[in-house]
Amino acid sequence: MGKLLCDPTAVAETFQTSSPTVTWREPNAATLEAVDLVDQTLTAAAGTTWDDVIGLEDQQRRHLSKLHAKGVLWKHPSEHGSSVVFRLSHGGDVSTDGNCLFTASQKAMAREVDARDLRKRTVKRFLEDLGSAKEEERQMINEVIKNMYSPDLRNGWGVHVVQEVKLLAKKDERVALDSAIEELVQLGMQRELVAESIYKERCIPVNDGSSWAKYMSISGSPDDEYDIVTLQYTEEGLLSVDENREGRAAAFGDDIAIECLATEFNREIYVVQAHGSDAMVDEDNCVFFLPHCPRSEICEPPFFLFMKGTGWCGAGADHYEPLIAHASSLVSSEKVALILGQ
């Protein structure tokens, strides 16, 4: 599952701000003739036609089929960069276990890399870039993280009906946490209110770069150092406490993670959102391409991820699926369905 901001430019603007003190990665030897294009062509059989993809409305199917038939044009941003036309097909379902950003990315890139390894590389990239950033930039990033995972519950209700606060509980402290909660419950206090109080007092809030790295490292595995605890609130107060006692919850990929993945592989990542009629958009505007640019020189073609939007608030759905990008021979820009970057 994933989480996109209502304003998708917020993180992009924060993470793409360059400064002389940032140690940018040197481009690797890859070129736009990289093997990924060949690999993705060979995996064409894995792609699914849009008529076979479940959960889409007719207007979404028609628009996505048009994109596939005509293709989308991508041009390398350098002055003399080459152009490629991609025909996008659905890459199949991936598990909804919270790791879908990384599983879908692995399939979309057609690389022999484990989804869990992608998560680790994403966190490592984030920490390295954060460590080389200016103090002002770090503060901006911390503010974005705080707004996403430790929001000010006095605000935001004009956009959200429910807001979540994420906390990190160390696995080896769960017994002590449970004992503290049970002790107060035995005194007659309401369990959810007690749990809220204990977790907020003893757990780590996800409100800065350091805690985000700990949070994004969680894959729902017994090997994780932390468990995710989620407090849900409405404008009236506490709604529920997800204690995640079995420790199976994984950290959903967000815009920051996508930016880090883009940087790690020196390529743009486009999240393609297909919104239905409940988003109050017409057929010509029901598909959005949201770009995530690397903080390094672009050395390879982009890859694409898919989200089935269910509404405009919160930018739609919360599950990433892979798109298979089939490279086609270049046609005139007038004949393609869309020119990326315009």
Side-chain angles (χ1 to χ4, degrees):
M1 294 185 177
K3 181 176 183 180
L4 286 176
L5 303 177
C6 290
D7 180 4
T9 63
V11 173
E13 290 173 354
T14 298
F15 251 68
Q16 292 166 25
T17 303
S18 62
S19 70
T21 62
V22 175
T23 305
W24 300 107
R25 301 178 65 216
E26 292 296 326
N28 59 29
T31 67
L32 290 182
E33 287 74 34
V35 69
D36 290 315
L37 287 179
V38 177
D39 289 342
Q40 291 185 14
T41 301
L42 292 175
T43 58
T48 304
T49 66
W50 290 110
D51 288 338
D52 297 329
V53 179
I54 63 173
L56 294 176
E57 296 180 4
D58 288 342
Q59 72 169 10
Q60 294 170 309
R61 294 184 195 280
R62 286 193 296 268
H63 197 90
L64 290 163
S65 296
K66 176 183 175 182
L67 286 175
H68 176 78
K70 293 189 173 183
V72 297
L73 176 65
W74 176 81
K75 186 178 187 299
H76 191 280
S78 65
E79 183 178 355
H80 302 292
S82 58
S83 299
V84 184
V85 173
F86 293 108
R87 302 183 191 276
L88 304 177
S89 60
H90 192 260
D93 296 330
V94 296
S95 176
T96 57
D97 60 356
N99 295 293
C100 60
L101 169 62
F102 306 102
T103 307
S105 295
Q106 183 273 326
K107 289 190 174 184
M109 288 191 291
R111 294 212 179 197
E112 293 295 328
V113 58
D114 182 72
R116 190 169 297 176
D117 181 56
L118 280 183
R119 184 186 284 276
K120 291 178 180 178
R121 290 175 66 172
T122 296
V123 172
K124 181 180 179 183
R125 171 53 43 204
F126 171 81
L127 289 173
E128 290 180 2
D129 286 348
L130 185 69
S132 62
K134 284 185 175 180
E135 179 61 27
E136 180 181 359
E137 187 178 5
R138 283 198 295 269
Q139 290 178 0
M140 292 173 62
I141 294 168
N142 289 342
E143 189 65 23
V144 169
I145 292 168
K146 186 177 186 299
N147 290 339
M148 283 197 291
Y149 298 111
S150 296
D152 182 350
L153 297 175
R154 296 169 298 180
N155 302 304
W157 299 112
V159 177
H160 302 285
V161 177
V162 176
Q163 296 195 70
E164 293 185 345
V165 172
K166 297 290 186 181
L167 302 169
L168 306 179
K170 292 199 74 170
K171 284 184 179 291
D172 58 12
E173 294 179 0
R174 289 307 292 262
V175 173
L177 289 170
D178 289 343
S179 297
I181 293 171
E182 189 59 30
E183 182 178 343
L184 294 178
V185 169
Q186 291 300 319
L187 295 177
M189 299 180 66
Q190 184 179 340
R191 180 174 184 83
E192 282 200 334
L193 295 179
V194 169
E196 176 198 25
S197 177
I198 294 295
Y199 288 133
K200 290 178 72 173
E201 177 185 345
R202 301 193 184 187
C203 295
I204 301 173
V206 182
N207 59 10
D208 60 14
S210 175
S211 54
W212 182 92
K214 293 182 176 69
Y215 169 75
M216 196 53 61
S217 298
I218 299 173
S219 63
S221 164
D223 298 330
D224 294 331
E225 183 178 0
Y226 296 92
D227 288 335
I228 299 172
V229 174
T230 303
L231 309 180
Q232 288 193 325
Y233 294 88
T234 65
E235 196 168 2
E236 288 71 35
L238 181 67
L239 175 64
S240 66
V241 179
D242 182 356
E243 300 185 65
N244 184 26
R245 290 189 167 276
E246 296 180 349
R248 295 180 180 175
F252 302 160
D254 59 19
D255 285 297
I256 298 175
I258 300 175
E259 300 289 349
C260 293
L261 268 177
T263 301
E264 181 68 12
F265 290 95
N266 304 101
R267 58 200 303 183
E268 292 176 296
I269 301 174
Y270 284 89
V271 177
V272 183
Q273 292 189 347
H275 288 273
S277 57
D278 60 345
M280 295 182 291
V281 292
D282 57 29
E283 183 170 329
D284 289 338
N285 297 296
C286 70
V287 176
F288 301 83
F289 284 71
L290 303 180
H292 296 73
C293 298
R295 296 187 55 161
S296 52
E297 182 176 343
I298 295 173
C299 297
E300 298 186 43
F303 70 88
F304 301 82
L305 302 172
F306 183 61
M307 296 182 87
K308 301 186 187 88
T310 55
W312 184 243
C313 179
D318 61 354
H319 180 62
Y320 295 101
E321 298 171 350
L323 290 177
I324 306 301
H326 311 291
S328 302
S329 57
L330 183 61
V331 297
S332 67
S333 60
E334 290 79 12
K335 294 182 179 180
V336 297
L338 180 70
I339 300 176
L340 299 175
Q342 291 192 351

